[in-house]
Amino acid sequence: MGRSHSHWQRGFTLIEVLVAISIMALMALMAWRGIDSMLRTQSGLQQRADQIRTLQAGLAQWQTDLNQLAELPGTPSWDWDGKVLRLTRRAVQAADGVQVVGWTWRSNPARPGGGDWQRWQSAPVQTTSAWQNAWQMAQVWSQTPTAEALQGQVQVHPLSGWQLLVHRGGNWTNPLSSDAVSANKADTPAVVGTVPDGVRLILNLPGTTPVTGTLTLDWIRPNLSGGPG
C-alpha cells in the first residue's frame, strides 16, 4: 500500500489575528476622528452662516421699517427716548392701515455680549385709539414687558450695546444730547417729532459672534434730495 500523506494548511495564529484586529480598530478610530472633525467643522460653519443671515435679516428689517414710516396727522412717526425707538410705519398690506414698531437693546447676561437687539411690532391698526394703544404697548414692552407685549417680540441678534445718531440740518447729531446715545440711558427726555433726514445705526457686536466689532449702517430718507454726507 502506498503511504498516505496529510497536507496541513497553515492558518493565522492567535497573535496574528489579535494584531490584525488591533490595526483595524486603530484605522477605524482614526477614520471616525476624521469624520467627527469634519462634521464639527461643518456644524460650526453652518452655525456661523445662520448667525450672519440672522443679522442680515435684522438689518434689512430695520431699513424696511424706516422706509415705510407713515407721517400721519396727529400721530408721531418717530420717538426715541434713549432706550427704545418707536416708529409708526405702513402695514405690509396698505388696506390694513399702519403698525407700531419698537426697537431696543435689552440686557441679558446669559447672551453673548450681555444683551440682545430686539424688535417688537403691533398688529395692524386703522383707528386713532387703536394706534394709541399700540404706541403705549411699545413703551410698556421696552420697560417691563407683559405677556401680551412679548407676543410681538423678536430677538434679532446678540449685542453689547447700540447707539443712534440722526441727520438734521446738514449734520449728524445725537437725538438727545451732544454725546453718543447709549441704549442704557433711559432717564433722558424723549425726542418725538418728524422723521429726520437720516438715521445712523451703530451696533456693538460681541467677540463671540461671526461678525465682531462695530457695525455702522446709515439710512437716508427716501424722498430726500441729496443725501446726508
Side-chain angles (χ1 to χ4, degrees):
M1 295 179 61
R3 180 181 296 178
S4 62
H5 297 278
S6 298
H7 298 281
W8 295 90
Q9 294 183 350
R10 181 179 179 274
F12 292 106
T13 65
L14 178 60
I15 294 178
E16 290 173 333
V17 172
L18 292 176
V19 170
I21 292 175
S22 299
I23 293 174
M24 293 177 62
L26 180 60
M27 293 177 64
L29 178 61
M30 294 175 62
W32 167 250
R33 286 182 175 177
I35 294 173
D36 182 62
S37 177
M38 287 189 295
L39 291 175
R40 288 177 181 271
T41 300
Q42 183 179 9
S43 176
L45 291 174
Q46 183 63 47
Q47 184 178 11
R48 289 170 61 88
D50 290 343
Q51 291 178 347
I52 291 174
R53 281 194 293 267
T54 299
L55 178 59
Q56 290 174 333
L59 295 174
Q61 184 64 65
W62 169 267
Q63 294 269 33
T64 299
D65 286 344
L66 291 173
N67 287 336
Q68 296 299 320
L69 284 173
E71 297 185 77
L72 305 175
T75 58
S77 55
W78 169 278
D79 176 13
W80 167 250
D81 65 0
K83 180 175 177 61
V84 60
L85 175 65
R86 291 185 292 176
L87 307 172
T88 301
R89 57 155 290 173
R90 292 182 290 274
V92 176
Q93 301 295 330
D96 292 338
V98 299
Q99 289 178 285
V100 174
V101 172
W103 289 87
T104 193
W105 178 87
R106 197 184 304 278
S107 175
N108 183 354
R111 295 285 285 169
D116 282 303
W117 191 30
Q118 298 181 348
R119 179 182 182 271
W120 178 90
Q121 72 174 25
S122 71
V125 297
Q126 296 182 330
T127 65
T128 301
S129 60
W131 173 87
Q132 290 174 340
N133 290 335
W135 193 253
Q136 182 61 33
M137 183 64 71
Q139 186 70 33
V140 171
W141 164 75
S142 70
Q143 296 176 349
T144 53
T146 62
E148 180 184 1
L150 289 175
Q151 293 178 3
Q153 173 182 297
V154 174
Q155 290 189 174
V156 181
H157 197 273
L159 286 185
S160 300
W162 73 325
Q163 297 175 328
L164 286 182
L165 298 175
V166 297
H167 195 276
R168 296 184 189 275
N171 296 304
W172 287 105
T173 60
N174 189 300
L176 301 176
S177 68
S178 58
D179 298 325
V181 178
S182 169
N184 299 348
K185 291 174 63 178
D187 55 351
T188 48
V191 173
V192 184
T194 58
V195 182
D197 297 335
V199 179
R200 175 165 291 173
L201 172 68
I202 304 173
L203 302 180
N204 300 321
L205 301 168
T208 54
T209 57
V211 182
T212 62
T214 301
L215 188 152
T216 301
L217 178 66
D218 288 347
W219 171 83
I220 300 172
R221 198 172 66 197
N223 60 352
L224 184 67
S225 59

